[in-house]
Amino acid sequence: MTADIQPSPDVREGTAARRAFLLFAALAALPGAAIADDWTATVAVSSQLVDRGIPVSAPGPVVQGAVNGFTSSGWSFGASASYQTKPIGRFSEALLQGAKAWRIDDDWQVQAAALYYRYPNNPAWRAFERVELGGTVIFRDVLTVGLSAAERLHGGGSPRAALDVGLRWPLTDHLSLAAGAGVARYLVTPYHYYDGQRYGTGSGHYTYGNAGLAWSDGAWRVELLRVMADRDRRPFEREASPWLATVARSF
């Protein structure tokens, strides 16, 4: 009889971190991918940070910034950060991403992307730090359908899949209807305690969506969305505000 030896948490975390490093190193090493032909920067303020129906920050102003580079061959690379000081302590999120887009015709294109999420200064949210790989089909910048899989950096477990659909339908020259819906597996399984023991609960997946209006004029963009999610509130009791507002300026 042989023992069923499981890797320690430190080993699992190190493996996921190495995969993340190797993934982004491979993207950066591809020919022509590291030299951007165009750069953009964006600053924004949002009323809350919500990720696939999960409230990442508490309700309250969240300052965001992003820098992205694009190449003529369809590659793009970017980094973004979000920061909130109130109402409950400090919160921060950092995101690295790399993507490659292929245009099929004048209406359709596909994109493959790799994303790396970290939450500095937020020990409670280390369970949500992850590497995510995904593919998206885009129709005229109006309709997007994406499928992705995320692997947690801490805690192990199998990859978590998510399916996202987004719609941005022009109503006027500046105003658009914005909507989205999706289904995803929980990154952290909801649980409850009974008689001193912790038990997982729920179906393992949940649904979410949003709908509202987006206004844009040149470098400015304003969004007001109604956020909905059919999910368990555990393991964190933080609740998403029903409305999400964002004001952004690009350079």
Side-chain angles (χ1 to χ4, degrees):
M1 176 181 290
T2 58
D4 183 12
I5 302 175
Q6 298 294 328
S8 69
D10 290 340
V11 171
R12 290 195 298 264
E13 293 170 13
T15 299
R18 284 194 295 272
R19 289 177 183 173
F21 174 78
L22 291 174
L23 173 64
F24 282 93
L27 286 174
L30 288 172
I35 302 176
D37 301 308
D38 189 25
W39 291 90
T40 64
T42 304
V43 293
V45 176
S46 296
S47 59
Q48 188 176 15
L49 198 61
V50 180
D51 182 7
R52 291 192 174 114
I54 301 292
V56 179
S57 74
V62 180
V63 178
Q64 300 171 280
V67 176
N68 293 279
F70 305 87
T71 74
S72 57
S73 59
W75 285 96
S76 61
F77 295 89
S80 63
S82 304
Y83 188 71
Q84 181 185 56
T85 58
K86 297 180 179 180
I88 304 175
R90 294 183 179 181
F91 168 83
S92 57
E93 178 191 66
L95 170 65
L96 297 176
Q97 59 181 346
K100 177 68 168 73
W102 296 269
R103 182 167 295 278
I104 300 174
D105 55 31
D106 292 340
D107 296 327
W108 294 89
Q109 62 176 307
V110 295
Q111 178 179 281
L115 301 96
Y116 181 56
Y117 291 83
R118 292 302 297 262
Y119 296 95
N121 304 323
N122 294 276
W125 284 89
R126 291 182 75 245
F128 290 86
E129 294 183 338
R130 64 192 186 272
V131 178
E132 187 170 306
L133 300 177
T136 304
V137 178
I138 305 169
F139 176 71
R140 291 185 178 179
D141 294 327
V142 172
L143 177 67
T144 62
V145 179
L147 182 64
S148 61
E151 181 180 3
R152 293 167 53 194
L153 297 181
H154 316 288
S158 60
R160 273 69 167 177
L163 174 65
D164 293 281
V165 179
L167 175 69
R168 189 172 294 270
W169 188 264
L171 301 175
T172 69
D173 289 343
H174 300 288
L175 191 65
S176 299
L177 170 67
V183 58
R185 284 193 61 196
Y186 287 103
L187 276 172
V188 177
T189 303
Y191 57 82
H192 68 277
Y193 285 95
Y194 178 75
D195 195 23
Q197 298 294 319
R198 191 172 101 170
Y199 298 90
T201 186
S203 63
H205 67 274
Y206 68 102
T207 58
Y208 50 90
N210 60 74
L213 296 173
W215 175 87
S216 61
D217 186 8
W220 288 95
R221 178 174 57 85
V222 179
E223 288 188 347
L224 180 62
L225 302 174
R226 180 69 166 86
V227 180
M228 300 152 281
D230 179 19
R231 62 174 181 81
D232 198 305
R233 292 183 63 187
R234 293 173 292 246
F236 300 103
E237 294 298 317
R238 183 178 293 160
E239 193 60 65
S241 172
W243 293 95
L244 179 62
T246 301
V247 178
R249 173 71 158 86
S250 298
F251 301 91

